[in-house]
């Protein structure tokens, strides 16, 4: 008996995830193991110190990604369940996929992949790129499309990160270039190729409500509180990590205040825009990541936080509408304003910081940036890393977006976008189904006419 067309897309998602998890289980059973326990007391103490020093940061990042970022995406009033659940699903899927790829590429020793907390943390950083990129097409893509996006983005990210950090020697402890800039322009490339040259009109379900904006603002506050852990977790323990935490706190504090100032000045009645607050308050954390552990003065961290917030707010106010009109570029969550523009500002600041580096702020020890005479070449490497991140992400994003247009991936029709009822069994709807419920289920299998 043939499968009804309306049920095919719904069976594709569990089939894809089921096969992936089964293949991952087989891979772990054959190749993945833990490091052998050490009998040396000093080695055991060293491992314990590493775990106890890293795991609190790791937990903070988990809260950021699962709760903070999930809530930040709930500004769409009828897409809250989907935003939270798809964010959670993509985090786990992307992290496991990154673990597999890292094991295949870097960590084979005698046919075994030795798993530890650091490798898990690196895989979670790879997953962050997917969570950011999805913001450009949030609400207008099916779960199958999002999983294909993650499948394509993770290997490209790992390759670009290797080129930028290992080959070029770019300094980017907080992921400003490797994570924020890469994921931003990958997502914009996907959006451009997926929607082609069509102007996406304002959807009736797209306008936030006070309740959805409040939930999103709570997500912003959670991200703001835990952001220093995201920046400092990979720093060398000691002075560098301490400096990264302080610089991040200063930058984010300045960005929060500057966001209020800029938003109030740009609005005719002097009131604050919730969209500006939800994003501009985090811009300082994006920009400071590339210079967080460098020997920059506290005033520089404050200035960078203020500039990044101003750039973010101005981007929402002027640049996003311009790009929508001139380039028909759809950016649902404004990732270009939060991750792209502050990221570029931070990368430019790193070039200046490397050129200006001579001694540490104490004046007694050499700067961790570069040996004497090497600043110019390292500054050039910083700029080259930015170019690689933008170029590779845009090209890969365009190719991925073209692949997402395949009809079998069940892109939702325009009239059914931004609606949880397309993917979730809502209790009140289950008790009193409307006359159009069967029509909405069948519409998922239709190809949208572009």
């Amino acid at each position: 008996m043939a499968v009804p067309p309306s049920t095919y897309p719904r069976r594709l998602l569990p089939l894809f995830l089921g096969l992936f998890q089964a293949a991952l289980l087989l891979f772990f059973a054959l190749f993945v193991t833990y490091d052998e326990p050490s009998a040396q007391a000093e080695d055991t103490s060293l491992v314990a110190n590493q775990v106890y020093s890293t795991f609190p940061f790791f937990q903070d990042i988990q809260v950021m990604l699962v709760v903070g970022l999930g809530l930040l995406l709930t500004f769409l009033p009828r897409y809250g369940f989907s935003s939270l659940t798809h964010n959670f699903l993509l985090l786990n899927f992307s992290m496991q996929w990154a673990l597999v790829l890292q094991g295949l590429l870097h960590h084979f020793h005698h046919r075994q992949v030795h798993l530890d907390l650091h490798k898990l943390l690196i895989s979670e950083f790879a997953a962050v790129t997917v969570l950011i990129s999805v913001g450009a097409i949030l609400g207008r893509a099916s779960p199958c499309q999002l999983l294909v996006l993650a499948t394509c983005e993770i290997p490209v990210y790992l390759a670009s990160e290797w080129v930028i950090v290992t080959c070029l020697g770019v300094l980017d402890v907080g992921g400003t270039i490797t994570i924020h800039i890469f994921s931003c322009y990958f997502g914009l490339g996907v959006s451009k190729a997926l929607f082609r040259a069509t102007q996406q009109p304002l959807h009736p379900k797209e306008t936030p409500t006070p309740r959805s904006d409040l939930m999103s603002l709570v997500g912003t506050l959670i991200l703001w509180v835990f952001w220093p852990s995201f920046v400092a977790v990979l720093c060398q323990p000691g002075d560098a990590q301490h400096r990264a935490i302080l610089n991040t706190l200063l930058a984010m504090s300045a960005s929060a205040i500057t966001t209020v100032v800029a938003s109030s000045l740009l609005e005719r009645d002097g009131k604050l825009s919730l969209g500006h607050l939800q994003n501009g308050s985090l811009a300082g954390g994006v920009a400071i990541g590339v210079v967080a552990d460098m020997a920059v003065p506290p005033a520089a961290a404050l200035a960078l936080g203020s500039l990044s917030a101003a750039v973010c707010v101005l981007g929402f106010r002027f640049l996003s509408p311009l790009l929508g009109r001139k380039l028909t570029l759809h950016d649902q969550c404004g990732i270009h304003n939060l991750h792209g523009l502050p990221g570029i500002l931070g990368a430019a600041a790193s070039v200046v910081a490397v050129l200006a580096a001579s001694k540490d702020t104490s004046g007694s020890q050499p700067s961790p940036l570069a040996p004497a005479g090497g600043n110019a070449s390292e500054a050039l490497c910083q700029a080259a890393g930015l170019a690689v991140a933008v170029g590779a992400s845009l090209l890969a994003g365009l190719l991925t977006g073209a692949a997402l247009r395949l009809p079998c991936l069940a892109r939702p029709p325009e009239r059914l976008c931004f609606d949880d009822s397309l993917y979730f069994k809502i209790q009140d709807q289950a008790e009193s189904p409307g006359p159009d419920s069967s029509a909405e289920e069948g519409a998922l299998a239709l190809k949208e006419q572009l």
Side-chain angles (χ1 to χ4, degrees):
M1 182 177 179
V3 178
S6 62
T7 64
Y8 170 71
R10 299 189 184 277
R11 293 190 179 184
L12 183 61
L13 178 63
L15 178 64
F16 184 96
L17 287 175
L19 290 175
F20 169 80
Q21 199 64 59
L24 188 84
L25 179 60
L26 180 62
F27 176 83
F28 268 61
L30 293 176
F31 301 114
V32 179
T33 185
Y34 297 117
D35 288 329
E36 293 292 331
S38 175
Q40 304 261 345
E42 55 271 18
D43 291 344
T44 303
S45 176
L46 178 62
V47 172
N49 288 336
Q50 290 176 342
V51 172
Y52 294 137
S53 63
T54 303
F55 190 66
F57 287 107
F58 183 83
Q59 287 292 79
D60 289 350
I61 296 170
Q62 290 280 83
V63 174
M64 283 181 64
L65 301 180
V66 176
V67 184
L69 184 57
L71 289 175
L72 180 65
L73 300 177
T74 59
F75 65 94
L76 297 169
R78 298 185 61 179
Y79 203 69
F81 292 138
S82 301
S83 298
L84 283 166
T85 306
H86 294 164
N87 180 76
F88 185 52
L89 172 64
L90 287 170
L91 172 63
N92 287 280
F93 176 86
S94 302
M95 183 181 65
Q96 293 185 36
W97 179 224
L99 275 175
V100 171
L101 292 178
Q102 286 188 94
L104 291 173
L105 295 175
H106 302 297
H107 303 304
F108 266 117
H109 299 287
H110 307 293
R111 299 189 60 187
Q112 292 291 322
V113 179
H114 293 276
L115 186 63
D116 58 24
L117 187 59
H118 180 76
K119 294 182 179 67
L120 198 64
L121 180 62
I122 297 301
S123 299
E124 191 142 294
F125 272 25
V128 173
T129 62
V130 175
L131 304 185
I132 295 173
S133 297
V134 163
I137 58 174
L138 184 71
R140 282 191 160 99
S142 69
C144 291
Q145 288 178 307
L146 299 181
L147 291 173
V148 171
L149 182 150
T151 304
C152 297
E153 183 171 5
I154 293 297
V156 180
Y157 162 75
L158 293 176
S160 69
E161 194 264 350
W162 178 78
V163 170
I164 292 170
V165 175
T166 304
C167 297
L168 295 177
V170 171
L171 303 171
D172 186 21
V173 69
T176 297
I177 298 173
T178 55
I179 294 177
H180 293 286
I181 291 178
F182 175 89
S183 57
C184 168
Y185 289 100
F186 185 94
L188 295 180
V190 169
S191 176
K192 182 62 179 177
L194 180 59
F195 303 121
R196 289 186 179 173
T198 56
Q199 180 74 38
Q200 298 297 318
L202 184 66
H203 198 281
K205 301 173 187 175
E206 199 174 346
T207 305
T209 63
R211 181 181 179 87
S212 66
D213 266 335
L214 177 61
M215 294 297 292
S216 182
L217 190 57
V218 171
T220 296
L221 298 180
I222 293 173
L223 287 168
W224 194 95
V225 168
F226 289 109
W227 203 289
S229 295
F230 182 85
V231 173
V233 64
L234 294 181
C235 293
Q236 288 295 325
D239 288 341
Q241 197 168 65
H242 184 218
R243 186 162 49 236
I245 293 172
L246 293 176
N247 283 333
T248 305
L249 287 170
L250 289 174
M252 298 199 70
S253 180
S255 67
I257 292 177
T258 305
T259 298
V260 174
V261 174
S263 180
S264 179
L265 290 176
L266 287 175
E267 297 297 328
R268 293 181 179 179
D269 54 4
K271 295 182 179 179
L272 301 179
S273 166
L274 287 173
H276 295 165
L277 289 176
Q278 292 157 2
N279 294 273
S281 302
L282 304 175
V286 174
I288 197 66
V290 69
V291 297
D293 63 335
M294 295 184 184
V296 297
L302 287 168
L304 188 57
S306 295
L307 285 174
S308 60
V311 165
C312 178
V313 173
L314 290 171
F316 273 103
R317 185 67 173 83
F318 300 108
L319 187 59
S320 288
L322 180 65
L323 293 178
R325 291 194 307 269
K326 299 297 184 180
L327 301 180
T328 62
L329 185 62
H330 177 75
D331 183 6
Q332 184 63 51
C333 294
I335 62 173
H336 188 232
N337 305 314
L338 175 55
H339 302 278
L341 298 178
I344 292 174
L345 181 64
S350 73
V351 173
V352 176
V354 170
L355 286 174
S358 57
K359 289 187 177 182
D360 192 56
T361 51
S362 63
S364 59
Q365 295 186 8
S367 167
L369 299 181
N375 289 356
S377 61
E378 291 204 0
L380 186 61
C381 288
Q382 293 293 120
L386 173 62
V388 170
V390 174
S393 59
L394 269 177
L395 177 60
L398 289 169
L399 295 175
T400 302
L404 296 187
R405 296 180 61 84
L406 292 173
C408 63
L409 297 180
R411 178 182 161 194
E414 182 65 22
R415 68 182 184 87
L416 297 178
C417 291
F418 309 111
D419 200 326
D420 286 327
S421 63
L422 200 56
Y423 308 110
F424 290 87
K425 185 176 181 180
I426 310 299
Q427 187 62 32
D428 57 353
Q429 292 180 351
E431 294 174 355
S432 55
D436 296 331
S437 59
S438 60
E440 288 192 353
E441 286 189 15
L444 183 62
L446 299 178
K447 278 201 306 180
E448 183 179 8
Q449 300 299 320
L450 295 179

